[in-house]
Amino acid sequence: MAMSVSNVAPKLIPFAITTACYFYLFPNRSEPNLQFLIAKTLPIASLCLFIVLNGLKSSYSMKMLFGLLFHMGGDICFFDEKNYFEHGVASFAIGHIFYISAFGFSPLSIPAAIGAALFGGLWHYLAAGPFVGFTYYLSLTYVALILIMLWRAIARLESCKEDCCMKAPSSIGASYLGGLRILMDGCI
């Protein structure tokens, strides 16, 4: 059964509500507390629920679900980033690997790869100045994973034709969030 916007959109309402609540309750990053952690992880949990409600019938759905779960794990680790920063970055990186695997490597889309590489290379050059040693290479690896995810999401979006109602939103979201994550992580 092909999915349409009219039956997918209502299942995304919990995501929209939890995201709006998070930004309303915490317009600026605040000191971590339990309320902040819950508000931060609820949007991802609602996306996990969305995937489960649509069925785990494909490897694509399973990989997207695992990617989201590892991202939620990264947010939980960042709750105590003084002690678990590297764990959080590793969890986010594993999540990106799941997304990359879900998006696949066909079609190749060389222009998207070049665009992502130029964007990320410039960002890393400008933002990685304070990093030294292990942290520098950790940030370089992390940015590379985000860029590969961004490239694969854009390439998948370019190839979406008729039955991509489920895949196009995740590709659009990953494309947008990949670029946004690079910019936001530069502020950390």
Side-chain angles (χ1 to χ4, degrees), residues 113-181:
I114 293 169
L118 290 173
F119 174 68
L122 178 62
W123 176 88
H124 196 266
Y125 174 77
L126 295 173
F131 298 139
V132 293
F134 177 74
T135 309
Y136 175 83
Y137 293 106
L138 182 67
S139 72
L140 185 62
T141 303
Y142 184 67
V143 167
L145 283 172
I146 294 172
L147 292 173
I148 294 169
M149 183 204 62
L150 177 63
W151 164 45
R152 298 317 313 144
I154 292 169
R156 185 174 188 94
L157 185 59
E158 289 174 350
S159 73
C160 263
K161 300 289 184 242
E162 52 275 343
D163 86 14
C164 288
C165 190
M166 178 79 164
K167 295 174 183 163
S170 63
S171 294
I172 293 167
S175 301
Y176 173 73
L177 292 175
L180 190 59
R181 180 168 287 280

Side-chain angles (χ1 to χ4, degrees), residues 48-104:
C48 291
L49 179 64
F50 171 78
I51 290 173
V52 170
L53 289 175
N54 283 298
L56 299 172
K57 302 172 195 136
S58 67
S59 66
Y60 177 83
S61 297
M62 290 297 292
K63 291 171 184 175
M64 293 302 287
L65 178 64
F66 285 132
L68 288 168
L69 291 172
F70 275 98
H71 271 87
M72 193 179 331
D75 282 334
I76 291 168
C77 289
F78 277 11
F79 181 69
D80 182 11
E81 67 183 85
K82 289 182 182 171
N83 295 313
Y84 296 103
F85 178 78
E86 288 87 3
H87 300 85
V89 172
S91 189
F92 282 124
I94 293 167
H96 288 305
I97 291 168
F98 273 109
Y99 295 143
I100 292 165
S101 176
F103 293 140

Side-chain angles (χ1 to χ4, degrees), residues 26 28-37 79 82:
F26 300 99
N28 302 314
R29 185 179 167 115
S30 63
E31 280 300 311
N33 59 42
L34 187 57
Q35 293 84 8
F36 177 80
L37 179 63
F79 181 69
K82 289 182 182 171

